[in-house]
Amino acid sequence: MKRINLKSATLLLILMMLIPGQLSFGKRAVVTFDQELLTIRGKVTDSATDVPLVFAGITAKGTNISTVTNIDGEFLLKIYRGEATEIEISHVGYKNKTLAVNELRTDDRTNYIELDVLFVPISEIVVKPIMPDDILTLVLGSIRKNYETIPNEMTGFYRETVRKNRSYLSIGEAVVEIFKAPYDNSFRMDGIRIYKGRKNDSAKDLDTVLFKLQGGTTTSLELDFVKNSWYMFTKEELEKYDLRLTSLATIDDRSNYVIEFEQRPYIEEPLMKGKIWVDMQTFAIAQIEFSLNLKDKERAASMLVRKKPIGMRITPENTAYLVKYKISGEKWHFAYSRAEVTFKVNWAKKLFSTTYSTVTEMAITDRVEEDVLKFSAREKMKPSDIFVDEVRAFVDEDFWGDYNVIEPDQSIENAIRRLSRGLRFEDRTDL
């Protein structure tokens, strides 16, 4: 199999396509269920400061059902009565909190949940003299032990947004099905397909220039650094980075090494800068946070932009990526990814620039190991696919049925309402 180097790796690149044109609208499907569905809404905050905790994990204990909080610290979790008796809330650097389902509000009212900061005295941890290079070597040597060696089928929720300055141009989201290949087999690739999706956009005429996000769903999945270890975790790639063991941190009440990495000064190609959280007990990667080096903006733009109109100059201003894993039993699993890219766009002979920003995120909401079938090539999303061209428009708040989703933040809620005004829908039940 041909291995991909960082210059062409879609994992790093939220590939953008600037296309003059107009997007279409469509309709949603409705699903009903006989069992009683409990909907738990909540907001997670710091107990001392009342600051919302972003990307906190929410899990129905004893199941693989989970979701994450949005940028306002809010979440929505759907479970059937009797499916779980407790939910667990976790965040980096905080004590986990477990709450009984029967003590939580399961109507439209919000459960306010506070987490306490977890202080771990150094004396309580046996810190061995170990170099960051040695830690990552142990990570690579423990992949087969720490991650699945059999296929998994995952259910996830995917969302992507495109903004022009402060206004949303498009919002798309979907329940996706994922074939997660074994981590010890580089020849078996992951696959993703849309099960149910919807979108909204504000295209008004044929002269509108829109950013279309290419390969957003596949990129979100390819951010799994452990599965795609050749992107960074090989001896050759690691030699391009300076590594520093900077601190210890807790995730899910487990101690982690925190390793900072940055490309070495003599490396010319734009690489990454960020942090890796490594579980001290198992030497599994628990979280990765990074950005792309934008010092050479022209070269970075050539990596990030696939196509643009003549006369347009695109300058990347910011990138931010987050990948999270969660342990279940003795194995760690890909749990969440988020990618954010901001560009400034200038037209020739125009004085003012326009800022475009894109965000994609995917949360794994369920997982099974039995009767897993690989998707056919025809069903899978391809890196060249444009998600918003695959789904139809929406307004119905009951669209998702019992599927777990990421609660939209307040600005997205307002954008959906604004973009939905005046839409007409066909009577159809496909995507």
Side-chain angles (χ1 to χ4, degrees):
M1 181 182 68
K2 181 180 179 181
R3 294 202 166 181
I4 308 171
N5 61 34
L6 194 58
K7 297 178 183 178
S8 59
T10 57
L11 100 110
L12 241 193
L13 317 179
I14 292 298
L15 295 177
M16 307 300 300
M17 180 176 289
L18 278 162
I19 305 175
Q22 183 176 4
L23 301 181
S24 60
F25 299 109
K27 181 60 174 165
R28 88 292 178 277
V30 177
V31 181
T32 58
F33 299 90
D34 295 328
Q35 297 174 263
E36 182 182 7
L37 184 67
L38 303 179
T39 299
I40 302 170
R41 294 181 181 275
K43 183 170 183 177
V44 183
T45 59
D46 182 299
S47 61
T49 65
D50 205 35
V51 172
L53 296 182
V54 183
F55 313 138
I58 316 296
T59 303
K61 291 195 72 172
T63 76
N64 293 320
I65 300 169
S66 62
T67 188
V68 296
T69 57
N70 65 9
I71 64 172
D72 299 314
E74 299 169 345
F75 71 88
L76 183 152
L77 185 71
K78 300 176 184 178
I79 57 174
Y80 287 111
R81 184 175 295 281
E83 192 169 14
T85 59
E86 296 176 320
I87 67 167
E88 186 173 45
I89 302 94
S90 62
H91 193 278
V92 177
Y94 289 81
K95 296 178 183 178
N96 285 14
K97 176 166 283 190
T98 300
L99 300 171
V101 171
N102 60 11
E103 295 178 358
L104 295 167
R105 294 169 174 170
T106 55
D107 48 26
D108 289 335
R109 293 178 294 175
T110 300
N111 296 275
Y112 292 94
I113 302 167
E114 296 181 339
L115 296 187
D116 299 324
V117 173
L118 178 60
F119 296 101
V120 183
I122 295 298
S123 59
E124 294 185 7
I125 300 176
V126 178
V127 181
K128 299 178 181 179
I130 187 170
M131 299 297 289
D133 311 64
D134 298 329
I135 294 173
L136 294 182
T137 298
L138 289 169
V139 166
L140 291 175
S142 303
I143 288 178
R144 183 178 177 85
K145 174 175 68 78
N146 286 327
Y147 298 87
E148 291 286 6
T149 55
I150 60 173
N152 278 210
E153 182 177 322
M154 295 178 168
T155 302
F157 180 76
Y158 170 81
R159 177 183 288 135
E160 68 176 46
T161 62
V162 178
R163 285 193 301 173
K164 178 182 179 182
N165 295 326
R166 296 185 179 182
S167 299
Y168 283 90
L169 287 178
S170 69
I171 301 168
E173 52 190 19
V175 171
V176 293
E177 296 176 321
I178 298 164
F179 172 82
K180 205 74 179 72
Y183 280 75
D184 63 343
N185 189 334
S186 60
F187 292 95
R188 297 191 71 180
M189 306 301 292
D190 296 341
I192 184 169
R193 63 185 177 188
I194 298 173
Y195 174 72
K196 186 179 185 183
R198 62 187 188 177
K199 65 107 177 281
N200 219 328
D201 62 78
S202 61
K204 295 182 177 64
D205 53 63
L206 293 175
D207 294 327
T208 301
V209 175
L210 295 178
F211 271 98
K212 284 191 176 182
L213 201 58
Q214 187 177 28
T217 53
T218 56
T219 298
S220 294
L221 190 56
E222 288 173 353
L223 280 167
D224 183 350
F225 265 54
V226 179
K227 172 62 178 171
N228 303 300
S229 58
W230 55 83
Y231 290 139
M232 179 178 175
F233 297 119
T234 65
K235 182 178 180 181
E236 180 182 6
E237 290 298 324
L238 285 175
E239 287 177 351
K240 299 177 182 178
Y241 291 91
D242 288 322
L243 305 171
R244 293 182 298 142
L245 179 58
T246 58
S247 63
L248 304 178
T250 58
I251 301 177
D252 285 340
D253 293 335
R254 300 173 67 94
S255 299
N256 285 254
Y257 296 109
V258 182
I259 299 173
E260 293 188 1
F261 61 93
E262 185 173 9
Q263 71 181 80
R264 295 186 173 180
Y266 60 84
I267 303 295
E268 295 183 356
E269 62 181 313
L271 297 181
M272 299 173 288
K273 175 182 179 180
K275 297 179 181 180
I276 304 171
W277 285 257
V278 177
D279 183 72
M280 292 178 65
Q281 182 179 341
T282 63
F283 288 97
I285 291 177
Q287 183 168 306
I288 307 173
E289 195 174 281
F290 67 96
S291 60
L292 179 64
N293 181 358
L294 301 180
K295 183 177 180 180
D296 187 341
K297 291 185 179 292
E298 287 191 8
R299 193 165 180 179
S302 69
M303 297 171 66
L304 293 167
V305 179
R306 177 61 58 86
K307 181 180 179 181
K308 65 182 181 66
I310 296 174
M312 177 178 285
R313 178 181 174 84
I314 301 177
T315 306
E317 295 293 312
N318 180 64
T319 66
Y321 302 86
L322 173 65
V323 189
K324 299 175 75 172
Y325 299 85
K326 190 172 183 63
I327 190 170
S328 177
E330 297 181 352
K331 298 292 186 180
W332 290 78
H333 302 91
F334 174 72
Y336 178 79
S337 67
R338 177 183 169 91
E340 183 171 358
V341 182
T342 302
F343 295 89
K344 277 193 176 179
V345 175
N346 295 85
W347 286 94
K349 301 180 181 180
K350 285 190 177 182
L351 295 177
F352 301 103
S353 63
T354 302
T355 299
Y356 287 87
S357 60
T358 72
V359 176
T360 65
E361 59 182 335
M362 184 164 64
I364 303 305
T365 58
D366 207 350
R367 178 182 57 83
V368 296
E369 300 176 359
E370 299 81 20
D371 302 321
V372 177
L373 298 176
K374 190 173 182 180
F375 306 151
S376 68
R378 179 178 57 83
E379 295 176 298
K380 291 193 301 185
M381 293 288 286
K382 299 184 290 293
S384 58
D385 287 341
I386 296 171
F387 172 77
V388 293
D389 289 346
E390 302 292 327
V391 296
R392 303 185 182 278
F394 65 91
V395 288
D396 191 337
E397 63 181 12
D398 297 323
F399 178 82
W400 296 119
D402 69 341
Y403 287 100
N404 278 292
V405 302
I406 304 171
E407 186 80 341
D409 59 79
Q410 190 59 44
S411 58
I412 291 179
E413 287 277 22
N414 291 335
I416 290 172
R417 285 193 288 267
R418 185 169 61 252
L419 299 181
S420 297
R421 293 169 186 166
L423 294 186
R424 294 181 179 179
F425 297 91
E426 302 173 7
D427 183 18
R428 58 191 302 167
T429 58
D430 57 349
L431 293 181

